[in-house]
């Protein structure tokens, strides 16, 4: 009995982007990370190249997180006040492929840190680790436009991934990223049409398409995961069928979202029927990440070392 | 693939006799293609046409039922590869294993634990569906004995797992009326297992390495009279398993390849609970009809079941939360009151932000038929009357002593009318839920 061939033939591919610049490319990274490049449905390499292996970026905050449950803060207890040491621990002990510096503390309500302070933080992280850096604003337009511009200059030539820009606020950061040689994250919360629109707006400023990463906002397991999943799946299919404005690699914010849920945060006493939080929380983060991997993700932002290890191992086994 | 109207037309008598009630055979054919007519309406249709059209009308993936009654598990009959194309219909059955060689205390302990794998989260109860009895002892007596104990002591559907036909027979004598899934047939014992399945009217699995072998085994099982077949796609190489699951699903749906038009079961076996559940979730998302795992801790099972809930949600139907007043945190009669819609994504976003603000508050979820704030407003489902009704239904005025209502910033334009209708002071909240913590901490506090 002959089995029909079910390998789909795709005309398009996800763009490939290299993040981080080594010395000879004008930066100081000792390691670069290349993402994207898929020419097949995730992990289906019998129909085409699966592209680069999905990578894990570990979150580092510029201020100690206020609302983290103990399960999550414990592994970082000694470094929560020092972003550079925190980043170093993520890379050296927990195997982070990249570091994502989340600028929570620049928000006017959460510390209102200045651009100068933040630029110093960025430089200290660049000095502490050799991996590429993602720098993520606080999603307060005015403050982001002020701080991110200076942060971008401070990291000029390092080929960081900066974000996020939206259809209402993209000009400043796009121009800055273009000038300083960084890549850019475009955000459209769970909307595939706006996703395309932001990419078009950014590209109309002559920003190269192959330096854009898309972010659709992330729904945690049990909290809208299916919306993110289907949008990303549709985007991946659009990329594979040759839609150039949808061919960007995709980033997900799994750590932050998964650890906001009751299922990972609640105390053992509150929910005895759910099992121990030290397993429950990392597991919730793990399953949010591996589920989204099936829809087509290139960078996953994560938090807990145990979840990071599990997800990286799972990627290795499926890839 | 489904036949087109023209394909069907070629098989009809082409007499335009109108006996079917349609003006022409072509019109009838078109309605057949759209599944708006039944072939039996045509009295003159040939046997050959019946055969071809009957086969084309059968679902590309066979529906298989494990168990009986309200708790039975149905798998198969899926129509799409991606949920956004339509939806996934039959939620993956989740199974947990138990061995038949455990001593009594360990057995009872584990059975109790497996039986209680149900959790309430966001207002709904989720639970596992099946228990796999593994014939680890290799003896008929123990296997049969365990089957009896599980059948009597568990509400779950049963999968009997043994490669020994004799042992399977012994176990089936104790629980065949529960319609267990017979797991253990492979090339060596396929006919004997199939005869057993046929006799006891139970569904069965077949296990093979390659797709060609699966076709061969399915053929042999069918010859022995078994119709409800489940392909056992398991193995130690996760990548291979994932690809096989995808290939079988594509063959059935894209190539109408009937020889493999069956649902699949995947056993996941990993010492590391994180890996076991990570892989089980992966297979669940990508086409396994049943996933079986060993770990039976709620912290491992809950995310697996939640992944199932998410992926089998109908993408065309907005999911709703019950429209009522929700208390977040330790609310008092001076706590703020906010409203949002009952679209679950909107509601949970708001709830999450209120929770993270650590300011206890009431959230009133207004019934907008599960649409978001702007959609509901544009469609006039969110107006002053809808809010007023929700306020009255939830008796908000008895819960707080102030008369201040925080409304979504996106519908600031409603404030005037709402203030008039309710007689409450209207405070315009942030446009995005993410602004709530700072809003509550600053604007509300002052």
């Amino acid at each position: 009995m002959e089995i029909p061939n079910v390998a789909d033939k795709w005309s398009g591919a996800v763009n490939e982007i290299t993040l981080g610049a080594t010395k000879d490319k004008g930066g100081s990274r000792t390691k670069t990370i290349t993402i994207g490049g898929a020419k097949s449905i995730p992990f289906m390499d019998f129909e085409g190249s699966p592209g680069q292996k999905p990578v894990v970026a570990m979150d580092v905050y510029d201020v100690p997180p206020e609302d983290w449950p103990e399960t999550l803060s414990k592994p970082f207890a000694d470094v929560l006040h020092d972003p550079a040491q925190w980043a170093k621990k993520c890379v050296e002990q927990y195997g982070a492929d990249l570091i994502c510096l989340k600028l929570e503390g620049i928000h006017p309500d959460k510390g209102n840190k200045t651009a100068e302070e933040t630029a110093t933080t960025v430089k200290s992280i660049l000095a502490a680790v050799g991996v590429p850096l993602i720098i993520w604003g606080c999603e307060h337009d005015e403050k982001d436009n002020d701080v991110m511009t200076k942060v971008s200059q401070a990291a000029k030539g390092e080929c960081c991934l900066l974000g996020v820009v939206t259809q209402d606020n993209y000009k400043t950061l796009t121009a800055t990223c273009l000038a300083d040689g960084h890549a850019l994250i475009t955000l459209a919360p769970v909307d595939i049409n706006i996703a395309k629109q932001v990419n078009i707006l950014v590209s109309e400023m002559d920003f190269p398409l192959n330096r854009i990463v898309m972010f659709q906002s992330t729904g945690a397991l049990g909290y809208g995961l299916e919306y993110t999943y289907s949008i990303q799946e549709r985007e991946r299919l659009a990329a594979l069928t040759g839609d150039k404005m949808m061919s960007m690699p995709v980033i997900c914010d799994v750590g932050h979202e998964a650890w906001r849920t009751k299922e990972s945060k609640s105390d053992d006493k509150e929910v005895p029927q759910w099992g121990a939080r030290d397993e429950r929380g990392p597991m919730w983060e793990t399953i949010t990440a591996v589920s989204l991997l099936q829809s087509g993700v290139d960078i996953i932002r994560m938090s807990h070392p145990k979840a990071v290890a599990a997800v990286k191992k799972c990627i290795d086994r499926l890839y | 693939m489904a036949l087109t109207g023209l394909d069907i037309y070629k098989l009809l008598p082409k007499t335009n006799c109108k006996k079917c009630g349609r003006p022409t055979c072509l019109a009838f054919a078109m309605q057949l293609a759209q599944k708006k007519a039944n072939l039996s309406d045509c009295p003159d249709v040939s046997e050959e046409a019946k055969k071809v059209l009957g086969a084309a009308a059968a679902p590309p993936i066979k529906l298989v039922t494990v168990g009986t009654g309200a708790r039975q598990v149905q798998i198969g009959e899926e129509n799409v590869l991606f949920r956004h194309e339509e939806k996934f219909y039959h939620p993956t059955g989740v199974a947990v294993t138990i061995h038949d060689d455990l001593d009594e205390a360990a057995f009872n302990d584990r059975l109790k634990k497996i039986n209680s794998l149900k959790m309430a989260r966001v207002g709904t109860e989720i639970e596992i569906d099946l228990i796999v009895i593994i014939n680890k002892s290799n003896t008929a007596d123990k296997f049969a004995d365990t089957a009896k104990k599980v059948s009597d002591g568990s509400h779950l559907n049963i999968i009997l797992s043994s490669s020994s036909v004799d042992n399977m027979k012994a176990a089936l004598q104790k629980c065949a009326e529960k319609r267990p899934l017979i797991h253990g047939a492979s090339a060596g014992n396929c006919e004997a297992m199939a005869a057993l399945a046929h006799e006891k009217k139970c569904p069965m699995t077949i296990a093979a390495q390659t797709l060609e072998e699966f076709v061969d085994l399915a053929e042999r099982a069918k010859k022995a009279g078994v119709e409800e077949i489940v392909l056992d796609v398991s193995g130690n190489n996760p990548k291979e398993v994932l690809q096989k699951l995808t290939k079988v699903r594509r063959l059935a749906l894209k190539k109408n390849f009937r020889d493999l038009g069956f649902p699949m079961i995947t056993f996941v076996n990993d010492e590391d609970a994180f890996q076991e559940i990570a892989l089980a979730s992966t297979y669940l998302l990508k086409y396994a009809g049943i996933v079986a795992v060993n770990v039976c801790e709620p912290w491992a099972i809950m995310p697996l079941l939640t992944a199932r809930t998410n992926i089998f949600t109908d993408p065309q139907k907005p999911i709703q939360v019950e429209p009522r007043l929700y208390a977040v945190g330790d609310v008092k009669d001076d706590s703020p009151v906010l409203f949002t819609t009952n679209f679950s994504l909107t509601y949970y976003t708001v709830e999450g932000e209120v929770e993270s603000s650590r300011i206890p508050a009431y959230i009133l979820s207004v019934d907008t038929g599960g649409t978001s704030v702007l959609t509901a407003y544009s469609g006039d489902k969110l107006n002053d009357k809808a809010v007023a009704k929700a306020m009255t239904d939830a008796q908000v005025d008895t819960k707080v002593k102030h008369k201040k209502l925080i409304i979504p910033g996106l519908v600031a334009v409603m404030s005037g009318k709402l203030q008039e209708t309710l007689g409450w002071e209207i405070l315009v909240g942030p446009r995005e839920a993410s602004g709530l913590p700072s809003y509550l901490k600053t604007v509300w506090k002052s």
Side-chain angles (χ1 to χ4, degrees), chain A residues 5-6 8 43 45 47 109 222 226-227 230 233-234 260 263 274 279 284 291 294 310 317-318, chain B residues 82-84 120-121 239 243 250 254-255 270 274-275 282 285-286 299 306 310 319 343 353 438:
Chain A
N5 181 9
V6 285
D8 284 321
F43 307 105
D45 62 3
E47 60 184 19
D109 302 328
E226 69 273 29
Y227 293 89
S230 283
E233 200 161 53
R234 288 168 65 195
R260 264 162 30 119
E263 286 77 358
W274 286 357
E279 307 284 0
W284 205 261
S291 300
Q294 287 303 316
R317 298 172 80 188
L318 291 171
Chain B
F82 305 107
R83 63 185 284 283
H84 64 259
R121 65 168 296 278
K239 179 179 165 178
Q243 294 195 349
R250 283 189 189 175
K254 297 176 74 170
K255 305 286 177 185
D270 202 293
F274 275 69
Q275 287 303 304
T282 301
L285 296 166
K286 289 287 181 171
W299 51 262
T306 306
N310 282 169
I319 355 169
F343 175 36
E353 295 297 345
S438 71

Side-chain angles (χ1 to χ4, degrees), chain B residues 11 64 74 79 139 154 182 196 210 256 292 314 317 322 324 367 402 443:
Chain B
L11 295 162
V64 172
Q74 291 199 305
N79 293 340
T139 69
S154 177
I182 298 176
L196 209 49
T210 67
N256 207 18
D314 185 348
K317 203 171 121 196
E322 191 193 333
R324 64 174 173 90
D367 187 358
H402 62 76
V443 184

Side-chain angles (χ1 to χ4, degrees), chain B residues 38-80:
Chain B
N38 276 319
L39 189 61
S40 55
D41 289 352
C42 174
D44 304 323
V45 69
S46 70
E47 280 308 310
E48 193 218 337
K50 266 190 206 163
K51 216 172 127 190
V52 176
L53 292 174
I61 303 172
K62 175 98 187 146
L63 185 72
V64 172
T65 306
V66 181
T68 57
R71 286 185 176 275
Q72 70 185 20
V73 174
Q74 291 199 305
I75 53 172
E77 268 194 19
E78 295 294 344
N79 293 340
V80 291

Side-chain angles (χ1 to χ4, degrees), chain B residues 6 35 55 74 76 85 110 132 144 150 161 185 220 256 268 298 311 314 369 377 385 399 416 422 435:
Chain B
L6 278 178
K35 301 205 163 47
Q74 291 199 305
E85 295 173 327
R110 186 166 171 96
V132 190
V150 170
S161 179
R220 285 159 61 186
N256 207 18
V268 194
I311 211 71
D314 185 348
Y377 178 74
K385 289 191 193 69
K399 302 285 186 344
L422 291 177

